[in-house]
Amino acid sequence: MSLRFIPPAAALAVAMAVLLPAPGTAHAADFTVRSVEVPELKGVFGEVKSRTVVPARARIGGTVRSVTVSEGDSVREGDEIALVVDDKNALNLNAADAKLKELQSQLDNAKLELDRAQQLLARGAASQARLDTAKTQFDVATNQLTASEADRAVILQRAREGAVLAPADGRVLTVPVTPGSVVLAGDEIARVASGPYSLRLSLPERHAASIREGGTVRIGERGISQDKAGTPATARPGRIVKVYPEISAGRVMADVEVDGLGSYFVNERTLVWVEIGRRSVLAVPAALIRTQHGIDYVTLATAGGPLDVPVILGERFAGDDGERVEILTGLKDGDVISAAGR
């Protein structure tokens, strides 16, 4: 049996045909473009709100003697935040003390008369009627003294109610009075945001049927600019806890629950992305896109070999295998992107 000589160039071609895949065949790391459904997000501004804002009110009328808190201070329920003084309370207290001394003297005298009447009745020198009269006078004096002590206690309680107490734990938002201000009973001395805090959203009426309690939203970083807030792919999740049933001025309101709002200012705005529907898009992993001279390209695996195709990018979002980028134009469903070309 004779051996046929094979030229080196032909042998190399045969080896490459065996080892290399046929043109247009997808590699194991290649990506096949498929249409996927993604949430359609609408960017709106949410305002940080305290679910309850409780006013601390004056319980008596008078002059504000002192204010111990300022805007931004944290308070505990029952803390004294201001003191209201009514100068008439001191005068009424002096009058009540003088009245008590007078009634105490009358009571002492009635007690002496009662004792004397009892002694005289025992010796037969006085009648039962005199004893009854003395006993009645003693009882009247005792009751008057008790009533006067109760009146004095009311004056003391009114003076103690000059202390304005924090109605709940929270943060002081406003203090509209200063020492020396004259206030009436029921006037607002301070406003306390007792929380918990949530984001209040205001959406156009056309999206009212698209949002629901329990739905997920994306909250950007602190700030009202796009540069500071980031993108939906990097935003943290939040949950819609309440959708208000009343539409006002063409807007529907909703509250979003998210951790970490306690450090925000009340009424501070931040960017929020709300899901208002779903749409089909072509999306590819961000790692398969390269930018050259300001133009974005992907490399397709075609029958004729790798082909660089310019694309126009859309939104970025988080996929199962990392960040993905929406392709607006340049690709179609079923295209194979070559990872080797990247």
Side-chain angles (χ1 to χ4, degrees):
M1 178 178 177
S2 60
L3 297 176
R4 184 179 178 183
F5 174 75
I6 300 177
L12 180 60
V14 171
M16 292 183 64
V18 173
L19 295 176
L20 296 180
T25 303
H27 292 76
D30 291 348
F31 179 81
T32 302
V33 179
R34 298 296 182 194
S35 177
V36 296
E37 278 197 351
V38 297
E40 184 175 359
L41 303 177
K42 179 177 179 61
V44 296
F45 284 110
E47 286 188 343
V48 178
K49 295 287 187 180
S50 174
R51 292 189 188 176
T52 54
V53 177
V54 188
R57 299 187 182 277
R59 293 179 288 178
I60 64 171
T63 304
V64 178
R65 177 68 55 83
S66 63
V67 179
T68 58
V69 297
S70 62
E71 290 82 354
D73 289 347
S74 295
V75 294
R76 305 286 295 178
E77 182 179 356
D79 289 349
E80 181 177 320
I81 61 177
L83 179 63
V84 178
V85 175
D86 186 355
D87 293 335
K88 296 189 296 296
N89 284 338
L91 300 176
N92 291 334
L93 186 60
N94 291 335
D97 290 338
K99 184 68 174 178
L100 281 176
K101 292 179 180 179
E102 175 189 354
L103 293 176
Q104 185 63 50
S105 299
Q106 294 179 3
L107 179 62
D108 294 341
N109 185 55
K111 182 68 168 60
L112 291 175
E113 288 293 332
L114 178 60
D115 293 341
R116 185 179 298 113
Q118 288 175 340
Q119 294 173 3
L120 293 175
L121 180 63
R123 294 197 297 266
S127 63
Q128 182 64 39
R130 180 177 177 179
L131 177 63
D132 293 340
T133 301
K135 188 174 184 308
T136 299
Q137 292 176 349
F138 175 78
D139 292 339
V140 170
T142 301
N143 293 333
Q144 287 178 341
L145 181 63
T146 302
S148 183
E149 289 175 343
D151 291 339
R152 185 178 186 276
V154 170
I155 297 173
L156 290 175
Q157 178 61 28
R158 187 180 298 118
R160 285 192 291 268
E161 289 180 351
V164 181
L165 307 180
D169 299 347
R171 190 167 16 159
V172 178
L173 297 183
T174 57
V175 183
V177 299
T178 59
S181 301
V182 177
V183 296
L184 299 176
D187 281 356
E188 186 177 279
I189 304 300
R191 292 169 61 243
V192 178
S194 58
Y197 294 95
S198 62
L199 279 175
R200 179 72 50 81
L201 304 182
S202 176
L203 297 171
E205 183 179 351
R206 64 180 179 274
H207 301 311
S210 303
I211 60 174
R212 56 180 177 81
E213 292 185 7
T216 302
V217 301
R218 310 292 295 181
I219 296 99
E221 295 299 325
R222 191 169 181 175
I224 59 175
S225 67
Q226 181 70 50
D227 295 338
K228 292 182 178 180
T231 64
T234 60
R236 52 180 171 161
R239 185 172 62 91
I240 298 177
V241 294
K242 187 176 184 63
V243 178
Y244 290 89
E246 183 180 12
I247 293 178
S248 177
R251 314 288 292 184
V252 58
M253 312 297 290
D255 285 344
V256 174
E257 186 179 72
V258 59
D259 295 332
L261 290 180
S263 60
Y264 283 63
F265 293 103
V266 176
N267 294 334
E268 182 178 355
R269 295 189 298 166
T270 189
L271 193 57
V272 181
W273 289 273
V274 184
E275 181 178 338
I276 59 173
R278 302 188 72 84
R279 59 193 176 94
S280 296
V281 300
L282 298 178
V284 302
L288 297 180
I289 300 172
R290 73 177 190 278
T291 302
Q292 186 174 356
H293 304 301
I295 301 176
D296 299 309
Y297 293 92
V298 296
T299 301
L300 295 184
T302 66
L307 176 64
D308 290 340
V309 176
V311 293
I312 297 179
L313 307 183
E315 298 180 358
R316 295 176 178 261
F317 57 91
D320 297 335
D321 53 354
E323 186 181 25
R324 292 204 176 187
V325 184
E326 178 185 358
I327 303 298
L328 299 179
T329 62
L331 296 179
K332 65 180 183 300
D333 196 318
D335 284 345
V336 178
I337 300 177
S338 173
R342 176 68 182 91

